[in-house]
Amino acid sequence: MKKLMLIMLLAALACAATAQTNFRDLSYAEALQAAKAENKMVFLDFYTVWCGPCKFMAEEVFPLKEVGECLNDRFVCIKIDGEKGEGVELVKRYKINAYPTFIGIDVNEKEVLRIEGYSAPDAFVNIIERVWDPGKAPERIKERYDKGERSAELVRTYASLLQQEARFGSFMERYQKARQVVEDYFNHLDEAGRLAPENTFIYTQYALDPADEKTRYMIAHQADFAPECRGEIKNALLGIYNRAIAEYLSGDVDWSAQAYEQIKNDIKVAGLNDDKAFDLAFQFIECYAAGDLNAYLKLCETKFEALSEEEQEAVLRGLIRLAKSEDQNVLTRASHFIRHELPKMTVNQLSSVIGSLKRIESNMVK
């Protein structure tokens, strides 16, 4: 009991010090005890180490302030590895069929909430809040929007609802409608409205690429946002440009020197490369674009491990381009490089490179 009280005290202090979701190092039974003592429920995050969407939720959703506030106020949160320890039995008890699955239970172990798969942050928060607030039921939100209400909270809730519904039925139609709701709202805002803290969601959730008007606005007005919002804006820009650079590393986007130089300039203007974090990725992209595949492989052999995990994954996806080479030296070096790295790769990296290796080695002269 003393151990549990100490854990609860440390958890409370940690919760006060950070806004992110406070996942506690507790067993299932200890979480129930803590929930009873704190008059809360228990939130169970069922995951596996190989699950990509689980990783997305852990890295992109649970660290966010709004998600942390929503969960920490209502739940004692714990993670359950569905393939280890007590997780194996809990997976059977709660009939977990997919990862991630998120279960909310009361102190009597009655299920009050179930969410399967990954969700955008706003959608995730809204699903949870609907349990407590009938006013956020889908039909009520739609009714308010159709009657012309355009508050930041309503637009944010309605758009996230449409995104959540996009997982079922007509995906593209509903997803595009969600984006259009936000676009219309953004286009009708004045300058003060675009910079208002309550509208930060426009940029953190719905600015998706460098050409997006909302992205251009962030870059032009980064210093004009309220001080408490600038960190979120910078993180949103980092996400956008990390994805853009990954597309060039992997070859998922057609090469355009003009578009690439614009991205490099945006990164510089936005102060995203003040720590030189993008420099090595730039080197990889520009080396491949120069067309000397042996020089590119030399770079892979000597600098690959200095890239971030996400950049490494993108480079590995891009190696399939080398399978088109008629230079047997290039194919052989590519094969040797991949096989040398295999023992060190993550599950996601392995899934990115196995097809490339097969294609490369099928074109090698036996």
Side-chain angles (χ1 to χ4, degrees), residues 289-329:
D292 186 340
L293 296 183
N294 277 294
Y296 182 71
L297 281 164
K298 180 66 175 178
L299 191 60
C300 289
E301 291 161 355
T302 57
K303 299 290 184 67
F304 177 78
E305 293 185 9
L307 293 167
S308 71
E309 185 177 314
E310 291 73 19
E311 290 168 344
Q312 288 179 358
E313 188 176 326
V315 167
L316 293 172
R317 287 202 309 274
L319 289 177
I320 196 168
R321 296 174 291 180
L322 303 187
K324 299 176 183 178
S325 176
E326 297 179 358
D327 185 334
Q328 288 295 310
N329 184 56

Side-chain angles (χ1 to χ4, degrees), residues 35-283:
K36 290 176 183 178
E38 299 172 30
N39 195 28
K40 293 181 178 180
M41 297 186 180
V42 177
F43 180 84
L44 307 171
D45 173 0
F46 284 93
Y47 75 99
T48 65
V49 295
W50 47 261
C51 167
C54 300
K55 183 178 178 181
F56 170 84
M57 294 296 292
E59 294 181 354
E60 305 294 335
V61 176
F62 290 125
L64 296 179
K65 177 183 177 183
E66 59 267 30
V67 177
E69 290 176 345
C70 175
L71 289 172
N72 297 338
D73 288 347
R74 300 178 173 107
F75 296 98
V76 170
C77 304
I78 61 171
K79 288 181 173 289
I80 304 289
D81 187 329
E83 297 180 336
K84 292 182 181 179
E86 66 177 351
V88 176
E89 178 58 35
L90 290 170
V91 161
K92 295 177 183 177
R93 184 189 307 185
Y94 287 103
K95 297 179 172 61
I96 304 301
N97 298 310
Y99 296 101
T101 293
F102 309 101
I103 304 289
I105 59 172
D106 64 19
V107 294
N108 296 313
E109 301 180 79
K110 177 184 176 182
E111 185 175 317
V112 298
L113 171 75
R114 178 179 287 255
I115 305 172
E116 294 184 353
Y118 73 89
S119 298
D122 282 348
F124 189 79
V125 168
N126 287 332
I127 293 169
I128 294 168
E129 289 188 340
R130 274 180 234 147
V131 176
W132 282 268
D133 185 356
K136 291 189 175 180
E139 59 275 13
R140 177 59 181 142
I141 294 297
K142 184 178 187 305
E143 178 186 358
R144 289 164 61 191
Y145 186 85
D146 289 344
K147 287 182 177 179
E149 182 179 337
R150 293 296 184 271
S151 65
E153 181 183 6
L154 189 279
V155 170
R156 180 174 183 167
T157 303
Y158 184 51
S160 65
L161 173 62
L162 290 170
Q163 277 197 317
Q164 183 66 22
E165 289 179 345
R167 296 175 57 205
F168 313 98
S170 179
F171 177 87
M172 287 307 300
E173 180 181 347
R174 286 174 173 168
Y175 180 71
Q176 293 299 336
K177 187 174 181 181
R179 291 192 63 188
Q180 193 59 54
V181 163
V182 176
E183 291 288 339
D184 292 344
Y185 178 64
F186 175 77
N187 290 334
H188 286 88
L189 288 171
D190 59 18
E191 197 76 358
R194 290 183 174 189
L195 294 168
E198 64 267 23
N199 286 323
T200 304
F201 78 94
I202 294 173
Y203 311 102
T204 58
Q205 297 295 317
Y206 296 96
L208 301 178
D209 60 67
D212 192 311
E213 182 183 357
K214 298 181 291 299
T215 303
R216 312 311 312 161
Y217 188 85
M218 278 192 284
I219 290 176
H221 297 273
Q222 195 174 0
D224 299 327
F225 286 92
E228 66 270 23
C229 301
R230 290 174 194 164
E232 290 182 83
I233 294 299
K234 185 170 185 177
N235 284 337
L237 287 169
L238 272 172
I240 290 167
Y241 286 97
N242 276 325
R243 289 192 295 272
I245 289 301
E247 288 181 339
Y248 277 97
L249 286 170
S250 66
D252 289 342
V253 63
D254 292 335
W255 172 255
S256 165
Q258 182 178 357
Y260 172 69
E261 288 301 324
Q262 179 65 62
I263 287 171
K264 279 189 71 175
N265 186 64
D266 288 348
I267 289 171
K268 179 180 178 181
V269 170
L272 304 179
N273 198 38
D274 290 348
D275 59 358
K276 309 299 183 183
F278 283 94
D279 280 2
L280 187 54
F282 292 156
Q283 190 177 348

